[in-house]
Amino acid sequence: MSIRIALIGNPNCGKTTMFNAFTGANQYVGNWPGVTVEKKEGKLKGDKDVIITDLPGIYSLSPYTLEEVVSRDYLVDEKPDAIINLVDATNLERNLYLTTQIAELGIPMVIALNLIDVSKKRGDVINIEKLGHAIGAKIVETSALKEEGLDKLVAEAVSLAKKGGSVTPAKVLDPVIEDAIKKVDKILPEDVVDRTMRRWYEIKLLERDSKIADKIKLTASVKNNIEDITKELEKDFDNDVESIITNARYDYIVDVIKGTFKRAGDKTTLSD
Ligand code: BGO
């Protein structure tokens, strides 16, 4: 049986370069069903049982662009066996925003810390172990351009895929938001969503993501109860729910980066 691995990352993180290095001539290009967004799939060079899907480059798993919808529908509906999440090492903060969202899906994920050659040349220092621990995923340093780290990366992804199962996403948001998610969890029926993706669905429902709400059958009373939880959260923070959750993600990322990343020229040291 074949193994399905999805490549996902921000625009310009080196995804096309990496996809080409993985698949070479073994790729087919078409469109995603119903939309004019390019779909690229290919077989891994050296192991035809591994199918790699290159998802559109995006900044977020929100529902506002075709690319975002295509990428998240694929991850949620097709549920690949493993995800390779490319993170541009020279633009860590912005790239990790998407990573925090992907982690919520509970799909086994390995991070490719790409453009590491540029980051190292600049003199930036990243504590890979600590960063991986904080995010809850293994990190492999890569240069897609120089084809460095790619064998190790794909071996890690294949091994995760073969192991199967799912990952329990960490609860990394502000405790008040985590409390609201817990309340949604209590009222969301057991069998309406994939068990391992519950956190993803709960956050999207809290955010009033109607595309996600339309995917699941909820009674009017459950919908109203979720709306009440959202309203209460908005009252607590005196802000709209999407801004509240976006800000909380960035707070978490800033915290993670503080202990794991040192820009060239920064005189402070990273603690162990
Ligand atoms: C140009 N290291 C380095 N140094 N560069 C990389 C790496 C890496 O690990 N990975 C990718 N690049 P895409 P998306 C370019 O095209 O794969 C480079 O959007 C140029 N082109 O070579 O397209 C890659 O698919 C002229 O650079 O990314 C490419 O995710 C001058 O990052 C760019 C300089 O890669 C984007 C760069 C005519």
Side-chain angles (χ1 to χ4, degrees), residues 29-45:
V29 181
N31 276 345
W32 291 91
V35 289
T36 52
V37 177
E38 198 175 68
K39 176 174 188 178
K40 288 196 285 184
E41 239 170 24
K43 291 179 179 171
L44 180 67
K45 276 195 265 179

Side-chain angles (χ1 to χ4, degrees), residues 9-20 40 54 57 86 113-118 142-148:
N10 283 190
N12 248 342
C13 65
K15 213 157 45 57
T16 307
T17 311
M18 189 175 283
F19 178 74
N20 290 339
K40 288 196 285 184
D54 183 20
L86 280 86
L113 195 57
N114 199 39
L115 286 119
I116 197 72
D117 53 317
V118 181
T142 59
S143 169
L145 184 69
K146 298 183 175 177
E147 301 202 8
E148 285 168 1

